[in-house]
């Protein structure tokens, strides 16, 4: 019978994951049976968890520092989508073997992501098995101010932060489906391996957005989650999708990927935000002050369903709806 086989848990966590505490709301972090954390008054605690499995969520050859960084960021992205301010994290690490070089690089990437968002690791657990990383994060919002998927209403405008399709394009290079010699390739690989959670945009949309989600599985798939939760439909103007200069340098507009990747590829971790018409000008001005680019890509409608329309009126039918994870 297979049993739980600890990987000398205490020394591993102590050696690689115990860092000096950067938050004074951590009453007790790593080193006891459980962490003791002080939640500020009049605050809702927002929690998210995500698991990355080698060969499913990232190619098996991914650099350990990138895996650590991404494991943290995909979780922080979920907090960003709720309008939450990140605070704490716990880590469950399943490893085939205890390899010092791998653990050193992984923890460096992990803490680079954590400290960039002022997040303290307050607990950890290690087990032997196929490489799997589970991170849970907690953050705060003022009572009742979290943004949900369910608040979108007909007439709301749909915005996305940043640009779409880079991570999906990066994955095509990482897996050898595309080959090019160009600096832009490094840029899209970085979007794949070192995503940035849109924390500041998440905080700035409080009080302005009616609904939001982070784009982890592809724009259309994640928009559908908002539509399901809000019981409405939407039109996306596919000529308005924001693409990075790296993307535009690598993909020609007559390639299927020009539309497929921004609409359906995952892992960009941008925010998709619906904003009531009356708050649109405020929203745009606030995002400008925050330094986050936002692009209007469509609107919410009462009529159910998701329509993707080009300016010439042609409707787009995606090859796949929702992101197929790497495997
Ligand atoms: Mg999410």
């Amino acid at each position: 019978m297979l049993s739980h086989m600890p990987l000398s848990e205490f020394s591993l966590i102590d050696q690689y994951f115990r860092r000096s505490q950067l938050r004074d709301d951590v009453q007790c972090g790593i080193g006891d049976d459980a962490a003791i954390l002080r939640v500020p008054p009049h605050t809702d605690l927002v929690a998210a968890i995500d698991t990355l499995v080698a060969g499913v969520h990232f190619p098996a050859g991914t650099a350990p520092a990138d895996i650590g960084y991404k494991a943290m960021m995909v979780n922080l992205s979920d907090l960003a989508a709720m309008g939450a301010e990140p605070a704490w994290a716990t880590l469950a690490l399943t490893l085939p073997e205890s390899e010092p070089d791998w653990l050193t690089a992984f923890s460096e990437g992990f803490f680079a992501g954590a400290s960039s968002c002022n997040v303290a690791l307050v607990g950890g657990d290690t087990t032997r098995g196929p490489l799997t990383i589970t991170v849970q994060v907690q953050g705060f919002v003022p009572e009742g101010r979290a943004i949900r998927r369910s608040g979108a209403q007909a007439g709301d405008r749909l915005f996305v932060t940043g640009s779409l399709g880079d991570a999906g394009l990066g994955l095509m290079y990482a897996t050898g489906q595309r080959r090019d010699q160009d600096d832009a390739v490094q840029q899209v690989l970085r979007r794949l391996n070192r995503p940035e959670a849109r924390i500041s945009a998440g905080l700035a949309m409080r009080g302005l957005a009616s609904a939001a989600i982070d784009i982890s599985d592809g724009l259309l798939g994640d928009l559908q989650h908002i539509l399901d939760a809000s019981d409405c439909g939407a039109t996306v103007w596919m000529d308005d999708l924001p693409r990075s200069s790296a993307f535009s340098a690598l993909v020609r507009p007559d390639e299927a990927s020009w539309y497929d990747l921004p609409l359906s590829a995952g892992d960009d971790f941008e925010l998709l935000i619906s904003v009531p018409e009356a708050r649109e000008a405020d929203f745009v001005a606030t995002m400008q002050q925050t330094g986050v680019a936002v692009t209007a890509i469509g609107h919410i409608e009462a009529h159910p369903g998701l329509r993707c329309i080009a300016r010439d009126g042609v409707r787009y039918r995606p090859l796949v709806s929702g992101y197929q994870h790497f495997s």
Side-chain angles (χ1 to χ4, degrees):
M1 192 181 86
L2 283 171
S3 62
H4 177 88
M5 288 183 291
L7 261 172
S8 58
E9 176 185 318
F10 292 107
S11 60
L12 262 189
I13 293 290
D14 265 354
Q15 196 174 344
Y16 296 99
F17 295 100
R18 194 167 183 165
R19 302 277 166 108
S20 57
Q21 218 38 267
L22 41 85
R23 298 184 63 96
D24 55 15
D25 52 12
V26 180
Q27 306 290 300
C28 171
I30 290 170
D32 210 312
D33 292 304
I36 306 169
L37 308 165
R38 189 146 294 173
V39 182
H42 309 297
T43 294
D44 289 335
L45 187 67
V46 180
I49 189 167
D50 214 75
T51 294
L52 300 184
V53 179
V56 178
H57 299 97
F58 55 88
T62 305
D66 289 341
I67 299 170
Y69 191 91
K70 191 164 181 173
M72 172 54 68
M73 277 300 159
V74 300
N75 277 278
L76 295 181
S77 178
D78 281 328
L79 291 188
M82 307 298 290
E85 177 192 342
W88 311 307
T90 50
L91 166 70
L93 193 53
T94 304
L95 295 168
E97 59 195 334
S98 168
E99 202 186 298
D101 287 352
W102 193 95
L103 280 159
T104 301
F106 175 86
S107 65
E108 272 167 20
F110 184 84
F111 283 107
S115 56
S116 74
C117 296
N118 196 28
V119 170
L121 181 70
V122 298
D125 183 34
T126 56
T127 312
R128 190 186 300 275
L131 178 58
T132 305
I133 303 108
T134 298
V135 178
Q136 192 198 29
V137 290
Q138 290 96 25
F140 312 134
V141 286
E143 264 172 15
R145 300 280 304 278
I147 318 281
R148 305 185 188 198
R149 297 177 181 182
S150 55
Q153 292 200 322
D156 290 358
R157 181 85 67 177
L158 285 168
F159 289 90
V160 285
T161 58
S163 60
L164 297 174
D166 282 356
L169 183 57
L171 185 62
M172 295 181 85
Y173 287 103
T175 54
Q177 292 172 70
R178 291 180 76 105
R179 289 171 209 279
D180 280 301
Q181 290 293 326
D182 195 312
D183 289 347
V185 174
Q186 296 312 313
Q187 290 173 49
V188 295
L189 283 172
R190 191 169 172 84
R191 280 295 301 274
L192 174 70
N193 292 321
R194 296 269 169 157
E196 295 295 337
R198 292 293 192 178
I199 301 295
S200 56
L203 299 178
M205 73 179 173
R206 284 180 189 164
L208 298 169
S210 57
I213 192 168
D214 67 318
I215 303 177
S216 52
D217 295 338
L219 172 66
L220 296 182
D222 287 318
L223 173 54
Q224 191 61 53
H225 292 315
I226 287 185
L227 302 183
D228 291 343
S230 301
D231 198 19
C232 52
T235 290
V236 168
W237 298 102
M238 51 192 278
D239 291 309
D240 293 341
L241 301 172
R243 297 174 184 80
S244 70
S245 54
F247 187 100
S248 303
L250 294 166
V251 181
R252 293 186 321 271
D254 62 348
E255 289 182 71
S257 292
W258 181 256
Y259 289 112
D260 284 343
L261 292 175
L263 286 170
S264 299
D267 273 11
D268 283 319
F269 298 105
E270 298 291 359
L271 296 183
L272 171 63
I273 305 167
S274 80
V275 181
E277 207 178 351
R279 298 195 208 125
E280 219 180 295
D282 264 2
F283 173 81
V284 170
T286 303
M287 287 297 159
Q288 214 156 28
Q289 280 166 19
T290 312
V292 179
V294 290
T295 307
I297 58 158
H299 50 267
I300 299 286
E301 295 158 329
H303 184 59
L306 173 45
R307 292 157 288 279
C308 262
I309 303 177
R311 240 182 273 294
D312 59 10
V314 172
R315 287 189 178 217
Y316 173 82
R317 293 189 193 287
L319 293 174
V320 289
S321 62
Y323 179 50
Q324 311 293 305
H325 277 299
F326 166 84
S327 59

